[in-house]
Amino acid sequence: MQILDGKKAAQAIKDELKISVAQRANDGKKIPHLAAVLVGNNGASETYVAAKVKACEETGFKSTLIRLEADISENRLLETIEDLNTDPDVDGILVQLPLPKHISEKKVINAIDPGKDVDGFHPMSVGKLVEGLQTFIPATPYGIMLLLEQYKVETKGKHAIVIGRSNIVGRPMSILLSGNSNPGNCTVTLCHSHTANLKEICLQGDIIVAAIGIPEFVKADMVKEGAVVIDVGITRVADPTRKSGFKLKGDVDFDNVSPKCSWITPVPGGVGPMTIAALMKNTYLSCDTKN
Ligand code: NAD
């Protein structure tokens, strides 16, 4: 079993970006600028946004964090996004999800200028992704593709099982893995909460991507020998021995599954850091194509 080390791979991407940004600065060109909008104070969201802002600092990007109260009106949030859309200095806009219940995530995502949609959630970005056109690829599946690329994991002709069909992870992952690309060219089965015989399907998987949100959902008896297992799940599980009071658990029963795998991602230190590196790449691309 070998570890797909997302922390290391993400660092390599950030190091490359840092050099490119320094070069741009030397040439008197614009520096990439990511604007993050955080509504309310959900603990996990706070952590994710802080990590994205830190990654900007590490790579020399400019970042702006806009904090809004949990009870902000939908209209006020839409106005904030419009301000960012029209600000020529902003290259990428990310609105940290989930949003409070009284705000329509769909409306908010649709309000982002597709040219600054570095999360890749706008319908225009999704449509281009489906067509195989150049676009902003949602950061988590993009990060997974970059990780597979970095470790030269063979995907061509493999049967990939994606568990979870969310718009931010599972569905775009299935599209990317089935694309005529490298990594890609997989035969993909997309599973979800209504899939029958999930265990039997998973046992056919050369590659399994677990994006469910249920800790240790994927057990050893669901995984065939030699499979590549990508664990997207991040769930906070109470752990009184830690200062934070919790630890992070993936969707895969790592201890029992990993001995069967050819490659596996750990949690933490797998997909999470790659998601941030992919977001940085999207923001750099946005800046570079326009300036
Ligand atoms: P989601 O809740 O939107 O989707 C979960 C999916 O799992 C659904 O499509 C559902 O059909 C499927 N599912 C639920 N129960 C199932 C079952 N019993 N059998 C088969 N499928 C089932 O979640 P999401 O936003 O896609 O996130 C999934 C997990 O990934 C979460 O733990 C989330 O925190 C994590 N995540 C991690 C990163 C990262 O950077 N590592 C990024 C995004 C999400």
Side-chain angles (χ1 to χ4, degrees), residues 2-279:
Q2 296 183 81
I3 295 286
L4 291 164
D5 187 339
K7 210 171 161 190
K8 202 165 132 193
Q11 192 58 53
I13 291 169
K14 286 188 289 182
D15 288 347
E16 256 177 47
L17 287 171
K18 189 176 177 174
I19 292 168
S20 303
V21 172
Q23 188 60 55
R24 287 185 68 86
N26 260 345
D27 298 346
K29 289 184 176 167
K30 188 184 174 308
I31 296 301
H33 179 184
L34 176 68
V37 181
L38 177 60
V39 182
N41 37 26
N42 171 293
S45 294
E46 292 264 4
T47 310
Y48 297 146
V49 168
K52 291 165 189 176
V53 169
K54 183 165 165 255
C56 285
E57 284 162 9
E58 283 170 12
T59 42
F61 286 28
K62 186 173 166 187
S63 69
T64 302
L65 172 56
I66 299 170
R67 289 177 166 275
L68 301 170
E69 295 297 321
D71 62 355
I72 188 160
S73 71
E74 187 178 270
N75 272 344
R76 183 71 200 91
L77 175 56
L78 292 171
E79 281 167 19
T80 303
I81 289 170
E82 191 47 29
D83 289 346
L84 296 171
N85 283 343
T86 52
D87 182 343
D89 193 56
V90 171
D91 300 299
I93 302 169
L94 100 83
V95 178
Q96 188 63 44
L97 303 178
L99 290 170
K101 293 269 179 293
H102 67 281
I103 297 176
S104 157
E105 288 188 354
K106 204 171 213 171
K107 252 194 207 171
V108 170
I109 288 167
N110 288 4
I112 296 172
D113 174 352
K116 300 186 179 187
D117 175 39
V118 289
D119 257 340
F121 298 158
H122 191 282
M124 187 90 87
S125 308
V126 179
K128 285 184 173 176
L129 181 75
V130 173
E131 289 221 12
L133 301 173
Q134 162 90 18
T135 187
F136 297 118
I137 304 169
T140 301
Y142 184 24
I144 293 169
M145 296 298 272
L146 292 168
L147 189 61
L148 293 169
E149 187 181 27
Q150 189 108 345
Y151 281 90
K152 298 186 170 54
V153 175
E154 181 61 78
T155 59
K156 189 168 69 178
K158 304 290 183 193
H159 188 181
I161 313 295
V162 178
I163 319 173
R165 60 180 163 188
S166 73
N167 288 336
I168 64 169
V169 190
R171 196 172 297 283
M173 189 77 253
S174 72
I175 293 162
L176 289 166
L177 286 171
S178 62
N180 187 0
S181 57
N182 181 27
N185 280 316
C186 291
T187 302
V188 177
T189 301
L190 181 57
C191 301
H192 47 75
S193 51
H194 294 272
T195 296
N197 306 322
L198 183 66
K199 181 178 159 186
E200 286 70 21
I201 295 169
C202 285
L203 280 167
Q204 296 171 27
D206 303 306
I207 298 169
I208 296 177
V209 181
I212 312 147
I214 303 176
E216 301 190 335
F217 179 90
V218 176
K219 305 285 185 208
D221 66 356
M222 297 165 74
V223 179
K224 79 170 175 189
E225 285 293 335
V228 176
V229 173
I230 308 291
D231 190 350
V232 183
I234 306 178
T235 306
R236 289 181 171 198
V237 177
D239 182 353
T241 66
R242 296 191 183 213
K243 210 168 94 191
S244 63
F246 67 85
K247 64 180 167 195
L248 299 179
K249 276 266 173 213
D251 286 347
V252 176
D253 176 4
F254 185 91
D255 290 347
N256 295 307
V257 169
S258 58
K260 300 182 84 174
C261 299
S262 55
W263 294 96
I264 187 166
T265 59
V267 176
V271 175
M274 291 307 293
T275 296
I276 292 173
L279 173 73

